[in-house]
Amino acid sequence: MKIKSYETFIVPPRWLFLKIETDEGIVGWGEPIVEGKAHTVQAAVDELMDALIGKNPLRIEDHWQVMYRGGFYRGGAILMSAIAGIDQALWDIKGKYYNAPIHELLGGACRDTIRVYSWIGGDRPDDVGRAALEKKQAGFTAVKMNATEELQFIDSYEKIDRVAERVAAIRESAGPHFGIGVDFHGRVHKPMAKALAKALEPYRLMFIEEPVLPEHNEALRDIATHTSTPIATGERMFSRWDFKALLQSGYVDIIQPDLSHAGGITECKKIFAMAEAYDVAVAPHCPLGPIALAACLQVDATAYNAIIQEQSLGIHYNENNDLLDYLTDPAVFDYQDGHVRIPSGPGLGISVDEDVVRKMAQTGHRWRNPLWRHQDGTVAEW
């Protein structure tokens, strides 16, 4: 069997899908995307696929090493996301070839379901108490929200107070044991991150996420001394080498690699295993489309330390098109009691509706994240 051809599809709301076809007619799907840089990743996929046309798609480890090590310049968001989507599609082909879900080819499942959480509040969180109650009534057992709007290095404690008030509203409406993740989103610099982490301590959060930007991970040591809340980070880290120093530092409790950013199924399986050796949990990042979520679930199935899965159904980014719109059988992601079953069909375990993909690719997108500025005119972290 050989790789015959491939196509990429830029589809709304902000995704990029990849289809790889073999000379035996087996098709695999991947989701190589950097949010806001879809066309750039599309170009990287084109360049990487030069080395794969005509090759046996089942030699996934070798293809991964060629894509990564075959270029003098390597790593980073664009190249690793392009590799990720190609890797997902190759695993989808391999699973279909052997008529088995990917997790069976990775050693088999150690779980039947995994807990999921839902987003509330948007980029500038508002009315989160009501939103959390609605998610609880819909069957979710956990939610995540952005902590705050833009913050300067040293900013008003009024903003800290408003964050605490919003989290208190969730705790009051959803109850004492409902899961709450608070995403600092890299918007918070170290001085205010310490203050915010301490202020949120009474609310017994599930985790605080990306309390500082990943380029400042050394600051996690100081933040950890101000809170007992689990610290999560990793969505903007793209390989096992990026995670190596973080895990060695001992100041992270949950890592959040993204299966569409961090080298795909092949690389993230290794990252998950590295984390387990350090007694660190995994909660994969995935505010993306159905192919990315399916890839996450296949690896989650095999990872003892995977604790909860992000998913994008109803997220504020998904205007006009949502997670289930591109599937012929949306029931594959049927959430029950705050959990989702691991897909058991061949490959990724989902059936992509190619007709819908082609139709929506005619619309496409040029999604860009917001550009924020502080009151003094300086650019703010979004």
Side-chain angles (χ1 to χ4, degrees), residues 51 53 81 111 134 189 199 207 216 238 350 360 373 382:
I53 297 296
S81 296
R111 61 165 47 83
E134 289 176 354
H189 298 280
F207 56 76
H216 304 309
F238 308 112
I350 59 173
M360 297 313 300
R373 291 187 182 273
W382 168 75

Side-chain angles (χ1 to χ4, degrees), residues 13 16 78 101 118 128 147 149 159 177 202-203 217 221 273 275 291 317:
L16 173 65
I78 301 302
S118 189
V128 290
E149 55 201 8
K159 293 182 180 179
H177 305 301
Y203 301 105
N217 275 341
R221 177 188 59 192
I291 301 168
Y317 305 121

Side-chain angles (χ1 to χ4, degrees), residues 168-179:
I170 297 175
R171 185 55 75 215
E172 182 177 352
S173 66
H177 305 301
F178 190 73

Side-chain angles (χ1 to χ4, degrees), residues 169-363:
I170 297 175
R171 185 55 75 215
E172 182 177 352
S173 66
H177 305 301
F178 190 73
I180 306 172
V182 176
D183 188 356
F184 289 28
H185 216 252
R187 297 173 183 172
V188 189
H189 298 280
K190 176 182 171 181
M192 300 307 290
K194 292 190 295 184
L196 185 54
K198 188 171 184 178
L200 295 177
E201 180 79 11
Y203 301 105
R204 299 193 297 178
L205 302 180
M206 187 167 56
F207 56 76
I208 57 172
E209 177 175 332
E210 214 175 42
V212 290
L213 291 165
E215 50 263 45
H216 304 309
N217 275 341
E218 69 280 357
L220 296 178
R221 177 188 59 192
D222 291 341
I223 295 167
T225 65
H226 286 74
T227 183
S228 63
T229 303
I231 293 174
T233 195
E235 70 187 67
R236 288 187 272 190
M237 301 172 67
F238 308 112
S239 72
R240 75 199 92 148
W241 298 282
D242 287 350
F243 280 93
K244 181 168 64 172
L246 175 68
L247 292 168
Q248 289 173 341
S249 75
Y251 294 107
V252 67
D253 303 293
I254 305 166
I255 60 165
Q256 300 170 301
D258 188 307
L259 271 286
S260 280
H261 297 333
I265 290 168
T266 298
E267 183 70 352
C268 284
K269 174 63 175 170
K270 297 172 183 178
I271 293 169
F272 287 22
M274 284 175 62
E276 185 181 359
Y278 286 91
D279 202 26
V280 169
V282 179
H285 180 256
C286 190
L288 299 172
I291 301 168
L293 178 57
C296 288
L297 296 177
Q298 292 296 331
V299 183
D300 289 338
T302 71
Y304 177 76
N305 55 333
I307 57 165
I308 196 166
Q309 177 61 57
E310 182 174 24
Q311 55 81 42
S312 74
L313 188 63
I315 198 171
H316 48 289
Y317 305 121
N318 293 359
E319 296 180 2
N320 301 319
N321 289 92
D322 213 326
L323 178 69
L324 306 179
D325 295 346
Y326 293 99
L327 299 178
T328 59
D329 180 17
V332 70
F333 295 142
D334 185 19
Y335 304 140
Q336 297 288 336
D337 300 321
H339 287 67
V340 64
R341 293 195 65 82
I342 306 299
S344 59
L348 288 168
I350 59 173
S351 180
V352 175
D353 192 329
E354 188 171 335
D355 290 339
V356 173
V357 171
R358 291 187 180 279
K359 177 183 177 182
M360 297 313 300
Q362 295 175 16
T363 300

